Amino acid sequence: MPTISWDYWCIDERQEGDKNNEEEGEKNKDKGLPIVIWADSMSKGAMAYVVSNKGECEYAIRRGAQDMNKIFGYNKLVLRGDQEPALRVMMSRMKMLAGEQCTLEDTPVGESESNGAVESAVNEIRGMYKNMRSDME
């Protein structure tokens, strides 16, 4: 059964420019512009899109359900994410749109490695962002 792993990454210009202050960056990691990132276990594909807010963002919910149903054509699938409340709200709303053949799965608390596919996608997207930003400067 295909598994689609979900996560958020927030762009904060102050964090990205200050490489010496990683502790401050960890405290403020949820501030900034949120990006929803997903990784698919079957196709090994990943996608990211900017959203206005975390959680109850209608665009993110509809876009995620559309990606699962219309792009991949999955009828049965597993949505996997961490314990973040905003992510759980988004995934549960997507489940309602995707149908009854969709199940939710939470990764263990504090073990982001168990959701490795989306974590590597987050790192890849972060690298692309930094590369594009440095090219524009």
Side-chain angles (χ1 to χ4, degrees):
M1 186 177 310
T3 300
I4 300 179
S5 302
W6 297 83
D7 204 359
Y8 282 111
W9 173 54
C10 293
I11 297 174
D12 186 359
E13 290 296 323
R14 293 169 296 160
Q15 289 177 25
E16 297 301 324
D18 186 11
K19 295 179 181 176
N20 296 326
N21 198 354
E22 289 184 19
E23 183 179 305
E24 190 67 29
E26 279 301 310
K27 281 194 267 181
N28 295 325
K29 71 178 184 175
D30 287 338
K31 293 183 179 175
L33 190 62
I35 297 176
V36 175
I37 301 171
W38 59 255
D40 176 31
S41 66
M42 295 285 276
S43 69
K44 306 297 184 210
M47 176 89 60
Y49 37 92
V50 178
V51 295
S52 59
N53 60 305
K54 289 182 164 188
E56 284 286 330
C57 177
E58 197 64 34
Y59 171 74
I61 293 163
R62 288 188 184 278
R63 173 76 187 263
Q66 180 182 19
D67 288 350
M68 291 181 296
N69 292 334
K70 294 186 178 169
I71 293 176
F72 289 115
Y74 294 150
N75 294 325
K76 295 182 180 181
L77 66 126
V78 175
L79 298 177
R80 179 183 292 155
D82 58 18
Q83 303 290 325
E84 185 178 352
L87 193 61
R88 296 182 82 190
V89 166
M90 184 183 74
M91 290 190 321
S92 64
R93 292 276 313 276
M94 274 192 264
K95 179 183 184 233
M96 287 190 293
L97 290 175
E100 294 300 316
Q101 301 293 330
C102 181
T103 58
L104 299 177
E105 184 179 291
D106 292 328
T107 58
V109 177
E111 293 189 28
S112 61
E113 300 86 29
S114 63
N115 207 6
V118 75
E119 293 298 329
S120 63
V122 167
N123 290 333
E124 194 174 319
I125 300 294
R126 182 180 289 145
M128 285 185 223
Y129 167 76
K130 287 180 179 181
N131 189 25
M132 286 187 279
R133 196 175 115 234
S134 70
D135 285 348
M136 292 175 66
E137 290 177 346

